[in-house]
Amino acid sequence: MPSSDPPAHAPGPRGEPVRIALTIAGSDSGGGAGIQADLKTFHQFGVFGMSVVTAVTAQNTLGVLAWEPLSPDLVVRQIDAVADDLPPLAVKSGMLGSAEVVTAVADAIGRHRLPNYVLDPVMVATSGDRLLDRDAERWIARRLVPLSTIVTPNLDEAATLVEAEVRTPEQMARAGRALLRLGTRAALVTGGHLPGDEIVDILVAEGGATRYFAHRRMDTTSTHGTGCTLSAAIAAGLAQGRPLQQAVGDAVDFVQRAIAAAPGLGAGHGPLNHFVPAPPRPPAEGL
């Protein structure tokens, strides 16, 4: 009797294979960050998005009012459920909240051998509210960084992971190389907190190749969910088969245009405009 199980990657409406990506992150009730931003970004890139919720937050553009983590067991059950039936071609993680969830996610990613893992080491929200127990920071460096294809920290997150000051482009590049020594294949250290009118994001890849993405600072408060959107866009690009450097460049471009076109919602740090078009995807190839 033929199997009734659905194919892992059934053809889409245009006959192209449907690419699947997974986000493991917290839920943002304001809709601008977390799994909400990730799923919007996946959709814009033409990728089918799945989600594993690690925590529920009560937040808006003004800040985080409260948050509660889900149990590590329920987080793992979610990963098992999607990995067994709908294996993703790329996965990203964002807010994990606690050391217990960090280690549980690391175990599950390793056990399922989830590919193209983009690690966004979320520690503090744009509003300044803390979203990660301090005990969990070292476990991200020890357990998740070695599993990752790319890590996408901001200046403060990079400094925490490599235990060194990261305040200048030179220190950013140095931190990227240190993250490679911790086991990741690539590091994109983002420079949104740099002083001055020019921002630079620095990609350090295997072999020491370094690429600088420079752009003018925009006079805007609509930056909520920037890191989430960036890492989700990289994961979407990797799921589509874009080479790593192209996936990063396309993600940086998408985020910059999403900030520039932000709708100006809320009285605080508003969301990006996730309706901007994604960079063109490469021609479909066999998976």
Side-chain angles (χ1 to χ4, degrees):
M1 178 179 297
S3 171
S4 60
D5 294 337
H9 302 283
R14 294 186 296 175
E16 300 173 357
V18 174
R19 310 301 178 101
I20 299 176
L22 169 65
T23 171
I24 305 171
S27 173
D28 173 10
S29 56
I35 59 171
Q36 286 82 352
D38 295 341
L39 293 176
K40 291 172 186 177
T41 302
F42 290 165
H43 183 82
Q44 282 303 96
F45 274 75
V47 170
F48 180 82
M50 305 182 300
S51 61
V52 167
V53 181
T54 60
V56 176
T57 70
Q59 65 175 301
N60 53 29
T61 67
L62 296 172
V64 179
L65 282 69
W67 67 272
E68 292 185 7
L70 272 68
S71 71
D73 180 64
L74 184 54
V75 171
V76 170
R77 293 292 295 274
Q78 291 178 79
I79 297 173
D80 291 345
V82 297
D84 289 343
D85 183 48
L86 298 160
L89 292 172
V91 57
K92 67 145 288 186
S93 68
M95 176 187 181
L96 299 178
S98 69
E100 293 78 13
V101 170
V102 168
T103 56
V105 167
D107 289 342
I109 288 175
R111 177 161 42 84
H112 289 288
R113 299 183 180 179
L114 298 181
N116 294 318
Y117 172 38
V118 181
L119 168 58
D120 179 11
V122 173
M123 298 176 186
V124 178
T126 302
S127 60
D129 297 285
R130 190 161 189 84
L131 299 175
L132 181 72
D133 293 345
R134 292 191 183 277
D135 290 344
E137 292 172 351
R138 67 179 183 275
W139 293 110
I140 289 179
R142 293 179 184 178
R143 296 296 312 278
L144 292 180
V145 171
L147 295 172
S148 64
T149 301
I150 183 170
V151 187
T152 62
N154 61 29
L155 301 187
D156 292 334
E157 292 160 350
T160 297
L161 291 175
V162 304
E163 299 181 334
E165 185 177 61
V166 182
R167 289 295 171 205
T168 67
E170 293 77 15
Q171 292 172 338
M172 292 167 66
R174 191 178 305 126
R177 293 190 291 270
L179 286 166
L180 261 64
R181 291 193 292 272
L182 289 177
T184 188
R185 286 177 47 198
L188 177 68
V189 184
T190 60
H193 296 157
L194 287 171
D197 294 331
E198 185 177 71
I199 296 172
V200 62
D201 303 323
I202 300 179
L203 173 66
V204 182
E206 284 180 314
T210 303
R211 182 176 174 185
Y212 292 73
F213 299 91
H215 32 269
R216 298 288 295 176
R217 184 183 302 279
M218 295 181 222
D219 184 15
T220 180
T221 57
S222 297
T223 55
H224 181 53
T226 303
C228 303
T229 301
L230 177 67
S231 56
I234 295 173
L238 294 175
Q240 290 177 325
R242 304 183 195 215
L244 179 61
Q245 290 211 22
Q246 180 187 349
V248 171
D250 289 346
V252 171
D253 171 67
F254 179 77
V255 168
Q256 289 302 303
R257 288 185 291 108
I259 295 173
L265 302 179
H269 292 283
L272 316 185
N273 183 355
H274 292 95
F275 290 114
V276 298
R281 57 183 172 176
E285 299 177 357
L287 296 177

